[in-house]
Structure formats: C-alpha cells, structure tokens
Amino acid sequence: MLVLEIDANEILPGLKGQHAAWKGIGEVLATVPDVISLADVDTSELVQTVDLVVGQEVHVIVSPVDHRWRTPAGLAIVGPSAFGYPVEPVLCGGPSHPTR
C-alpha cells in the first residue's frame, strides 16, 4: 500500500492509481465508492497519483457516486474493504438513496 503524507493527511490510493481513501489526523474523511480527486493548489489541474511529488500542495475533491454503489451489494464490490482497507465507508454529502 502506498501512503502519501500531505499536511498530516494521507491519501490512500487504490487500484490503477485511483484514490481509495482520504485520512485526516486520526479519522478517515472520505472513501470509495465516492470519487476522490486531487487538484494542484497552484494550477488547479487534476493530479494523478503517479504524478504526486513530496511537498506538493493539493486540494482534495470528493464527489458522490450513484446511490446503487452505496448499497451493501455495491459497497462489497467497490467499498474500502474491496481494496483491502479495514475501515467503514465514509460517504460524502447527499442522501444515500435518491429522493424522487
């Protein structure tokens, strides 16, 4: 597992350079299945895991996914445990199911 420290926060990459979790000091702040993206502070360009460098400042952007990925069946396939992380899913804002 690759762990990158950025201002006492850690970005925990998953498979193929995708970000699987974002951990703050003592707590997990976001996990898959939500989309965790990094943007360079100076250029606002999205940064891939392989392009990160020590000391680089980034913004962490978390976007919710379709409600079906947030179900027990969806989480079994793309949740943190699917990437080997022993943490409960931390999903970003919005309801877990559509409000139609």
Side-chain angles (χ1 to χ4, degrees):
M1 170 176 65
L2 172 64
V3 176
L4 304 168
E5 286 204 18
I6 303 171
D7 278 342
N9 292 319
E10 299 173 327
I11 306 298
L12 308 174
L15 299 174
K16 297 185 181 178
Q18 299 300 315
H19 309 297
W22 175 38
K23 182 179 178 186
I25 300 172
E27 68 177 312
V28 175
L29 303 172
T31 65
V32 289
D34 289 336
V35 178
I36 302 172
S37 303
L38 305 177
D40 184 270
V41 168
D42 296 324
T43 66
S44 298
E45 291 182 15
L46 293 178
V47 181
Q48 295 182 1
T49 303
V50 297
D51 296 328
L52 282 171
V53 295
V54 174
Q56 182 175 10
E57 294 185 70
V58 295
H59 293 290
V60 178
I61 304 162
V62 182
S63 305
V65 294
D66 187 86
H67 72 279
R68 291 172 284 196
W69 292 116
R70 295 169 168 233
T71 64
L75 290 170
I77 299 168
V78 296
S81 62
F83 293 93
Y85 297 114
V87 298
E88 292 297 316
V90 177
L91 305 174
C92 73
S96 295
H97 301 283
T99 55
R100 294 185 202 180

